[in-house]
Amino acid sequence: PKSKMDETKKPLRVPPEFGTYAEKHGIFDLYKRVIESIVIDKPEEPLQYIIDYLKRENDDVPQICILGPPAAGKRTIAREVCKRLRVVHITPEGLVGDDVNPVAKQARNFVKNGQSIPVEVWVSLVKNRLKSHDCIKKGWLLEGFPQTRDQAQAIQAEGISPKHCVVLEAPDTVLIERVAGKRVDPMTGDVYHTTFDWPSNSEIESRLVVPDGITEESMVNSLVEYHRHTTDVLRCFPKVTKTINADQPKADILALVLTFLSSTPRTAAPHTPRIVLLGPTGSGKSVQASLIANKYNIVNISCGALIKEAIADETKIGEAIKPYVERGMMVPDNLVMKVLSDRLSRLDAVSRGWVMHGFPRTREQAESLKDANLDPNRVFFLDIPNDSVMERLVLRRTDPVTGERYHFLYNPPRTNEVKARLHQHPKDEEEAAKKRLIEYHAYAEEIADFYETAMRINADQDPHTVFEFIESMIVNPLAKKFGDD
């Protein structure tokens, strides 16, 4: 049956699957991309354009620029990235060497006459290539272009802008030394180096040649030209640029590049936090939930507190739960889910978001959340050693007069009078704490398997340090996963 919103019922309940569906399928971002494309392309038939756009297999494809000075390793890294992401590799030489495109022939004539290729010719070459079916379907990587601010602004004026711009940088002295050992395979175009990256295949080795026009003087001139333009070029892509040190092993450079390419920029799409905090007793879940809820005005959901409220309010579900709690037995999952579902469907939780702790504790409970369309979009494991948990719990005390909480190590009572009346909660006694730890670890692995994208945090540190890490993962979009990951 379709979910409906009944405005006559109080408290107002909004089916949580509305927001979950929109977020899962990227509806808001899709709408934004469609509008952007219409504004850029200005089609004569907007409705048909939208239909054709939505028929694409994948409209959110990689769009990458890799820039850097000569000998920084752009070609090597670009080829590896294209292999991993299966995107189209585009180079300035490839654009000019296109035998089919008449504009490329025009560009070759400029080169033949010793003239610079005009900006408008470059733009035409890039625009025509990016409109081809393979670039639209797979995405593209543009290596070594744009080289000037005029070129960058010209392609932006045509609606062409990278989602990620990688800049490989290294000291000029390193680049000059590197170019002296540069060798190229004329058959494949692959770049090698006599010191750093020599081929193991003897057949490839025999084909290698020294690139034309590679001298120390020409290299110095190329570097001067690069440095003259690079700052202005990068000002055109301020929010999508990442500079990476190219004076390190190729594998390390590639890892840094792929990490950056997996990042997702923030968008204007509505984001409703649905956070689950998991961890052993004493790991600080309730503290972190309180910090998150207070700062971001989201609903703090404690499963244990909800159950107590249901019993205290003598609701129908509370009456069903009461016998289990009185006997110290586990409350059946279906009853817990009923309490949670009612609370998470209320308007404040659906519109503002929520942070939950104390549930789920087993894989079955996690699956129940998913089946009820209450999936979290952020899951955090607060990891802490068992001995630190015992230290936190066993030494914890409460003042029955003031209600203030103390800890014999971290927050000891200031007077002997207060110390004498402190009370230890039965759950904090050593045997009870050990039992709760054993119960957590019995199911921790299967929950971790269920929440594959969960983030693990070292909770054995200052609560505000833990909060800063959690906060950074809440406000930033989750990184993409590539097919080979």
Side-chain angles (χ1 to χ4, degrees):
K2 289 187 176 179
S3 302
K4 291 183 179 178
M5 221 182 319
D6 187 349
E7 294 187 15
T8 64
K9 286 188 177 180
K10 298 293 180 180
L12 182 63
R13 286 179 172 79
V14 180
E17 56 264 33
F18 285 8
T20 307
Y21 176 85
E23 187 177 301
K24 179 181 178 182
H25 296 281
I27 300 299
F28 299 110
D29 287 326
L30 174 61
Y31 178 77
K32 175 176 174 285
R33 291 195 298 272
V34 170
I35 297 299
E36 280 180 354
S37 295
I38 290 175
V39 170
I40 291 167
D41 293 342
K42 303 178 184 66
E44 291 183 10
E45 297 288 342
L47 189 58
Q48 186 58 47
Y49 179 92
I50 292 173
I51 293 169
D52 293 339
Y53 187 97
L54 295 175
K55 283 181 179 177
R56 291 182 190 175
E57 200 172 304
N58 178 17
D59 72 306
D60 188 17
V61 294
Q63 296 171 353
I64 307 162
C65 281
I66 292 189
L67 307 176
K74 299 186 295 295
R75 179 64 47 87
T76 303
I77 296 301
R79 284 177 179 271
E80 287 293 333
V81 168
C82 289
K83 195 187 299 180
R84 296 286 186 95
L85 273 58
R86 302 180 181 89
V87 297
V88 179
H89 186 189
I90 302 169
T91 64
E93 312 93 81
L95 292 171
V96 173
D98 187 350
D99 293 329
V100 178
N101 189 347
V103 180
K105 186 178 180 182
Q106 187 184 347
R108 290 195 294 274
N109 288 334
F110 282 108
V111 175
K112 190 177 179 181
N113 296 327
Q115 298 173 288
S116 296
I117 299 173
V119 172
E120 58 270 19
V121 174
W122 275 121
V123 171
S124 179
L125 288 170
V126 172
K127 188 177 179 182
N128 287 339
R129 184 66 185 92
L130 298 188
K131 279 191 171 182
S132 58
H133 178 71
D134 57 348
C135 289
I136 291 172
K137 185 177 180 181
K138 298 179 182 178
W140 47 265
L141 185 154
L142 192 52
E143 177 205 322
F145 190 90
Q147 297 171 351
T148 67
R149 182 187 178 190
D150 288 345
Q151 292 172 353
Q153 290 181 328
I155 62 172
Q156 284 181 320
E158 294 293 333
I160 301 167
S161 192
K163 295 176 183 175
H164 296 88
C165 181
V166 176
V167 183
L168 301 178
E169 286 286 12
D172 287 357
T173 50
V174 171
L175 297 172
I176 292 169
E177 180 188 344
R178 191 183 283 182
V179 80
K182 186 176 180 180
R183 299 292 184 271
V184 177
D185 182 347
M187 186 179 291
T188 63
D190 289 339
V191 179
Y192 295 93
H193 194 277
T194 53
T195 306
F196 309 118
D197 188 21
W198 195 245
S200 55
N201 187 312
S202 57
E203 186 181 338
I204 296 175
E205 184 182 337
S206 65
R207 291 200 304 259
L208 297 185
V209 296
V210 178
D212 293 334
I214 295 293
T215 64
E216 186 171 325
E217 184 181 351
S218 66
M219 180 62 179
V220 170
N221 291 337
S222 297
L223 286 170
V224 169
E225 183 76 7
Y226 170 79
H227 291 306
R228 182 186 303 145
H229 294 290
T230 185
T231 303
D232 289 336
V233 170
L234 299 184
R235 280 179 184 153
C236 296
F237 312 118
K239 294 182 178 179
V240 297
T241 299
K242 173 83 171 176
T243 300
I244 291 173
N245 174 22
D247 187 20
Q248 55 182 319
K250 183 175 77 173
D252 295 344
I253 300 170
L254 181 62
L256 290 169
V257 170
L258 290 173
T259 298
F260 172 58
L261 297 181
S262 72
S263 65
T264 308
R266 292 194 203 180
T267 71
H271 172 67
T272 307
R274 299 189 303 278
I275 305 162
V276 164
L277 300 179
L278 301 170
T281 179
S283 59
K285 298 186 294 295
S286 60
V287 172
Q288 295 303 323
S290 178
L291 290 170
I292 294 166
N294 288 338
K295 179 158 186 179
Y296 292 101
N297 191 31
I298 63 179
V299 181
N300 186 351
I301 306 284
S302 166
C303 187
L306 283 181
I307 288 172
K308 288 175 185 175
E309 284 174 22
I311 294 171
D313 293 343
E314 297 182 346
T315 62
K316 192 173 181 181
I317 190 74
E319 292 298 317
I321 289 172
K322 190 174 182 181
Y324 295 97
V325 175
E326 287 177 342
R327 296 170 192 164
M329 297 167 63
M330 289 283 286
V331 180
D333 289 352
N334 63 320
L335 296 179
V336 178
M337 277 304 304
K338 180 76 174 89
V339 173
L340 279 174
S341 183
D342 286 349
R343 183 64 189 90
L344 296 178
S345 297
R346 289 185 195 167
L347 184 61
D348 59 349
V350 173
S351 58
R352 284 160 37 201
W354 45 264
V355 53
M356 181 163 62
H357 51 107
F359 191 92
R361 295 185 177 181
T362 66
R363 185 185 177 103
E364 288 75 19
Q365 291 177 347
E367 288 171 347
S368 298
L369 272 181
K370 183 178 175 66
D371 292 341
N373 289 305
L374 298 170
D375 312 45
N377 49 26
R378 296 289 189 280
V379 178
F380 297 96
F381 278 93
L382 305 186
D383 294 332
I384 183 170
N386 288 350
D387 55 352
S388 296
V389 168
M390 296 304 292
E391 185 182 273
R392 285 186 180 188
L393 297 183
V394 175
L395 300 179
R396 215 160 52 174
R397 297 292 188 274
T398 305
D399 184 344
V401 175
T402 63
E404 192 169 344
R405 300 181 78 172
Y406 293 94
H407 191 280
F408 286 147
L409 278 182
Y410 308 126
N411 182 29
R414 291 170 181 80
T415 65
N416 287 330
E417 181 186 349
V418 172
K419 184 178 179 180
R421 67 174 186 245
L422 293 184
H423 173 72
Q424 184 181 35
H425 195 287
K427 284 187 176 180
D428 289 346
E429 291 175 3
E430 188 169 348
E431 288 306 312
K434 283 181 180 177
K435 183 182 177 184
R436 287 154 68 197
L437 269 176
I438 291 168
E439 287 173 356
Y440 168 76
H441 288 296
Y443 296 104
E445 192 174 330
E446 64 179 40
I447 298 181
D449 289 342
F450 184 79
Y451 290 123
E452 292 179 353
T453 59
M455 289 149 278
R456 306 201 82 98
I457 300 171
N458 173 19
D460 193 16
Q461 51 186 329
D462 177 74
H464 290 282
T465 304
V466 176
F467 173 67
E468 284 174 10
F469 184 86
I470 293 176
E471 185 179 33
S472 71
M473 302 306 293
I474 293 171
V475 298
N476 292 315
L478 292 175
K480 289 183 179 178
K481 283 209 166 191
F482 300 134
D484 292 338
D485 285 2

